[in-house]
Amino acid sequence: MAKNTYDSKAIEVLSGLDPVRKRPGMYTDTSCPNHLIQEVLDNSVDEAIAGHCSNIKVKIHKDGKIQVSDDGRGMPVDIHPEHKVSGVELILCKLHAGAKFSGEEYNFSGGLHGVGVSVVNALSESLKVNIKRDSKEYEMHFNNGDKKKELKEIGDVGARNSGTTITFKPNQKYFESEEIKLKELKHVLKAKAVLCPGLTIDFHHEKKSEKIKWFFEDGLKSYLEDSSEGLDLILNESIVSSKNSDTQEVDFVINWLSKNNKNKLDETYVNLIPTAQGGSHLNGFKSGLLEAMKEFCEIRSLLPKGLKINADDVINNATFVISSKLQNPQFAGQTKERLDSKDHMSFVSSTTKDILSIWFNTHTEEGEKIAELAILSAQSRAKASNTVERKKTFKGPALPGKLSDCNSEDLNETELFLVEGDSAGGSAKQARERSFQAIMPLRGKILNTWDLESAEIIKSQEIKNLSTAIGVLPGNSDISGLRYGKICILADADSDGLHIATLLCALFLRHYKNLVQDGRIFIAMPPLYRIDCGKDVEYALDESQKDEVVKLFKSKKGKPKINIQRFKGLGEMNPSQLRETVMDPKTRQLVRLSITATDNANAMMDLLLSKKNAPARKEWLEKKGSLVRI
């Protein structure tokens, strides 16, 4: 129970790398170590963008260590005049320390806040850095973010030999899985080589005896053509564009498919960092593309009377890559998945509009084919008899009575929480941020929809209410009516809650796959335990986390009293606890529901939920049921 008194003694200041270790999810993706590799890689790529590096090597050792090396200038080893430690120690041990704030050392860079590689150090059980510069080689060692060995000179190297090598082993306790997602990593490495022509990237997986080298002279064009092999492209030659100013650049390549294909390429990057959720550059690109197409259609009188096309109509069948570079980009969070730089949107929009307007009007035959695809998409939208319209404030169709809607209509910020039970729904309504968070309580377990057709499941009142709330009908490929940018499943942390979450995941995987592929579906991770020790309060997702917290508290001097509370459900949590643990974007833990071409999600869901697989499910439970931990 919280103390009634509140004075300055209650205020804590976390120093060094403690903030990262205490809340790692605020600084990196804790599902696996991939993002740590990307943080180190981005520093090397920034050297390449600045023209100081032409080779990067990434190696995964048999013992689980990861090594990233480059032939850039090498981290500074001289003593910082103010902080009285070497530049390399400052970079690796101090948050918000870096050379990318002023723009004098790097015109365009992915590292912006000076936290990337220090986060890697904080979350690694061991890290070694080797630096070659000024004809000397230096070495320094760290354990769990703390300095183990001082920086020392270990040898001489040639005058032209320079660069940085970082070798680290992620600390397993900070990640849900210690396995590196190799397919995603190789995709990122290839993309970096594509987006930085002249850069060679070598990848070596020691355990698999796998070696790959990427080098692209032709950049974006060859990348898109390689990725579109086997697809029916409309244009013989993809449209390629590049424009730059003193503070920003945009390069893009685009083509169209005669028939939409889920394997098409649609990627966006900022300073060579992949932005999975798009943002300003993608919005600007879509806006410019739409304006160019509307202008072309008007000039040639292609649009049927009364029909309006939107950006999604034009881009639905497109395969494209956008690469933006800009000074001081504003990202949504440290993982940099979405660009929020508003000024860059107008730059990309005007560039795209100018380039494509000229192209459409000089390639009229191909332009009319692309316009026909957009018109067919718009007609399909218009003819959808029971499309759920987006609700406007105080207007529109009747929304479900239990839905507590938010004020914003911006998909970049709106969130809908599907909450298990009315009790938890009541607490969630008090805990939410009304401006952008909506709450919809659900009645227990929803219908198992895995084996059913989309037209059949809409007969369920609960699913009908849910589809009305989110603005998209099950099985509908058109998501233009989507009302929330994030849809979050919030269920109890017990077995019943996991069952409800599984049924909802099945609903989205089977009947709203486009929302899953678009990265819109999330599962909130409510804690199962609250542990109090004096004025310190920690939450634990499961038994193992609880044991770790208890062990940490017991190590404190004075043998403090420890109180452990197990939550029977979300309804037991007061609004402030609910806000802190599952709703506040700064402190909550959300897991994105995602599928890849290599996973076995469908097979697993078939096994778990399909009626026809009852015998196989029984056999599986008999063999592996004992492994389940709640």
Side-chain angles (χ1 to χ4, degrees):
M1 184 174 177
K3 292 167 63 177
N4 291 326
T5 58
Y6 173 60
D7 53 28
S8 59
K9 293 178 182 178
I11 300 171
E12 295 180 83
V13 179
L14 299 176
S15 59
L17 300 178
D18 286 343
V20 183
R21 289 185 283 251
K22 192 173 182 67
R23 295 281 187 268
M26 290 178 63
Y27 295 87
T28 191
D29 179 359
T30 55
S31 61
C32 68
N34 277 53
H35 195 255
L36 293 191
I37 303 174
Q38 192 172 312
E39 289 284 12
V40 182
L41 176 66
D42 285 343
N43 279 0
S44 297
V45 171
D46 286 342
E47 283 285 284
I49 295 174
H52 303 295
C53 167
S54 57
N55 294 279
I56 297 174
K57 296 180 180 180
V58 178
K59 183 176 182 180
I60 299 176
H61 293 263
K62 288 181 180 178
D63 61 1
K65 289 182 180 177
I66 300 153
Q67 187 176 80
V68 180
S69 60
D70 64 55
D71 60 355
R73 291 170 292 181
M75 287 184 182
V77 294
D78 57 312
I79 301 300
H80 191 277
E82 180 183 346
H83 294 279
K84 308 304 179 185
V85 296
S86 65
V88 61
E89 184 175 340
L90 205 57
I91 291 169
L92 288 164
C93 295
K94 188 81 171 173
L95 293 176
H96 308 293
K100 299 168 187 176
F101 300 110
S102 66
E104 294 179 5
E105 292 294 330
Y106 298 89
N107 191 31
F108 303 120
S109 69
L112 305 165
H113 312 114
V115 299
V117 76
S118 56
V119 169
V120 178
N121 190 22
L123 303 181
S124 296
E125 60 182 62
S126 66
L127 184 145
K128 181 182 74 167
V129 57
N130 290 80
I131 299 154
K132 296 176 182 177
R133 62 181 292 157
D134 304 325
S135 303
K136 303 288 185 183
E137 182 173 3
Y138 303 84
E139 187 173 279
M140 193 171 189
H141 293 255
F142 301 86
N143 279 359
N144 296 306
D146 297 323
K147 180 170 60 177
K148 184 183 178 184
K149 292 183 180 179
E150 296 284 352
L151 178 71
K152 67 175 182 178
E153 183 183 320
I154 61 171
D156 295 322
V157 294
R160 295 183 179 180
N161 200 349
S162 64
T164 302
T165 299
I166 291 181
T167 308
F168 65 98
K169 187 170 186 179
N171 193 324
Q172 185 180 344
K173 74 177 184 178
Y174 295 115
F175 300 92
E176 295 166 27
S177 170
E178 60 183 319
E179 292 296 320
I180 296 167
K181 294 179 180 177
L182 291 176
K183 183 180 178 181
E184 285 83 349
L185 175 60
K186 287 186 279 188
H187 181 81
V188 167
L189 295 175
K190 180 181 179 181
K192 300 287 188 187
V194 169
L195 298 167
C196 195
L199 173 65
T200 300
I201 296 184
D202 287 279
F203 173 70
H204 180 198
H205 195 296
E206 203 171 54
K207 195 172 183 180
K208 294 180 179 288
S209 299
E210 180 182 19
K211 292 185 178 181
I212 308 175
K213 181 184 296 240
W214 293 282
F215 175 80
F216 291 85
E217 283 186 289
D218 209 8
L220 293 180
K221 183 181 177 183
S222 59
Y223 180 42
L224 185 136
E225 290 173 354
D226 288 350
S227 302
S228 302
E229 190 173 347
L231 302 179
D232 186 14
L233 297 175
I234 286 181
L235 307 180
N236 293 327
E237 288 286 329
S238 300
I239 305 171
V240 183
S241 172
S242 178
K243 184 176 180 180
N244 60 66
S245 69
D246 292 339
T247 58
Q248 53 192 335
E249 298 179 11
V250 63
D251 296 87
F252 69 78
V253 59
I254 186 170
N255 207 320
W256 278 265
L257 307 175
S258 57
K259 186 177 181 181
N260 205 349
N261 190 302
K262 65 180 181 180
N263 295 320
K264 67 178 183 176
L265 199 65
D266 50 356
E267 297 177 352
T268 61
Y269 297 84
V270 173
N271 295 353
L272 276 66
I273 293 174
T275 43
Q277 296 179 25
S280 308
H281 51 332
L282 177 58
N283 293 338
F285 181 73
K286 290 168 71 174
S287 172
L289 175 59
L290 175 61
E291 290 303 311
M293 177 53 68
K294 285 168 67 176
E295 182 184 87
F296 177 71
C297 289
E298 288 170 7
I299 291 171
R300 303 188 69 80
S301 301
L302 299 175
L303 282 177
K305 188 176 180 180
L307 184 70
K308 292 184 179 180
I309 59 173
N310 63 25
D312 289 334
D313 294 326
V314 188
I315 210 168
N316 274 344
N317 285 54
T319 175
F320 60 89
V321 183
I322 306 166
S323 175
S324 285
K325 296 187 182 77
L326 59 157
Q327 293 178 352
N328 301 315
Q330 303 299 311
F331 290 100
Q334 171 59 20
T335 51
K336 305 184 180 81
E337 291 187 316
R338 188 181 78 242
L339 179 69
D340 280 351
S341 298
K342 306 305 179 189
D343 293 343
H344 189 60
M345 178 176 170
S346 59
F347 174 77
V348 177
S349 179
S350 61
T351 299
T352 306
K353 199 261 184 183
D354 293 345
I355 295 294
L356 292 181
S357 289
I358 294 170
W359 192 93
F360 286 142
N361 286 290
T362 53
H363 299 77
T364 53
E365 187 177 341
E366 294 95 329
E368 287 186 3
K369 288 181 181 178
I370 296 166
E372 185 181 352
L373 290 173
I375 290 168
L376 287 173
S377 174
Q379 288 173 331
S380 177
R381 276 192 304 107
K383 289 178 181 178
S385 58
N386 45 1
T387 298
V388 181
E389 295 181 13
R390 180 175 178 80
K391 174 249 185 189
K392 303 296 181 183
T393 308
F394 306 115
K395 295 180 183 179
L399 290 164
K402 290 192 174 183
L403 173 68
S404 297
D405 209 359
C406 56
N407 299 327
S408 174
E409 293 183 359
D410 183 359
L411 291 187
N412 290 324
E413 63 176 6
T414 51
E415 301 175 346
L416 171 66
F417 284 83
L418 303 175
V419 185
E420 175 193 348
D422 290 338
S423 176
S427 292
K429 288 174 191 177
Q430 297 178 60
R432 69 174 174 146
E433 178 57 57
R434 183 185 293 270
S435 62
F436 67 92
Q437 290 179 328
I439 306 296
M440 184 170 174
L442 300 176
R443 293 181 183 174
K445 297 180 176 67
I446 68 161
L447 179 70
N448 180 0
T449 62
W450 189 252
D451 284 336
L452 302 178
E453 295 297 325
S454 296
E456 188 177 351
I457 69 169
I458 200 67
K459 296 175 184 177
S460 163
Q461 188 62 45
E462 196 78 7
I463 292 174
K464 184 178 181 180
N465 289 343
L466 190 151
S467 68
T468 304
I470 66 177
V472 180
L473 288 171
N476 194 345
S477 60
D478 178 18
I479 61 171
S480 59
L482 183 66
R483 304 180 64 252
Y484 305 99
K486 283 189 176 78
I487 299 168
C488 308
I489 299 169
L490 178 53
D492 290 345
D494 59 11
S495 57
D496 280 341
L498 294 175
H499 188 187
I500 291 168
T502 301
L503 290 171
L504 285 166
C505 287
L507 170 67
F508 288 113
L509 283 170
R510 178 66 84 190
H511 303 282
Y512 291 95
K513 194 171 183 180
N514 44 1
L515 293 183
V516 177
Q517 291 172 332
D518 207 29
R520 301 288 188 183
I521 311 300
F522 295 80
I523 297 91
M525 305 296 288
L528 197 58
Y529 296 97
R530 170 181 167 138
I531 306 101
D532 293 77
C533 180
K535 58 186 178 182
D536 293 329
V537 178
E538 291 287 346
Y539 295 93
L541 295 177
D542 52 31
E543 193 79 25
S544 61
Q545 275 195 10
K546 179 202 73 174
D547 293 341
E548 285 182 17
V549 174
V550 170
K551 184 178 179 181
L552 178 66
F553 282 160
K554 284 184 176 178
S555 66
K556 290 189 174 185
K557 293 181 180 179
K559 294 183 178 180
K561 182 181 178 182
I562 298 172
N563 182 48
I564 300 172
Q565 177 187 359
R566 188 184 193 280
F567 297 113
K568 293 180 181 178
L570 296 169
E572 280 196 356
M573 302 175 75
N574 62 45
S576 63
Q577 291 173 337
L578 204 58
R579 181 186 302 115
E580 179 184 4
T581 58
V582 296
M583 302 196 74
D584 187 343
K586 295 179 181 178
T587 55
R588 70 188 181 192
Q589 291 191 55
L590 292 181
V591 176
R592 180 184 281 110
L593 182 62
S594 61
I595 49 175
T596 64
T598 56
D599 64 28
N600 63 343
N602 284 344
M604 178 55 71
M605 296 303 276
D606 272 335
L607 176 64
L608 294 175
L609 296 174
S610 179
K611 292 180 180 179
K612 64 186 178 184
N613 279 342
R617 184 159 52 249
K618 180 182 178 183
E619 182 182 351
W620 184 83
L621 286 169
E622 287 173 347
K623 288 181 179 179
K624 298 188 177 182
S626 60
L627 300 178
V628 176
R629 291 179 299 172
I630 299 297

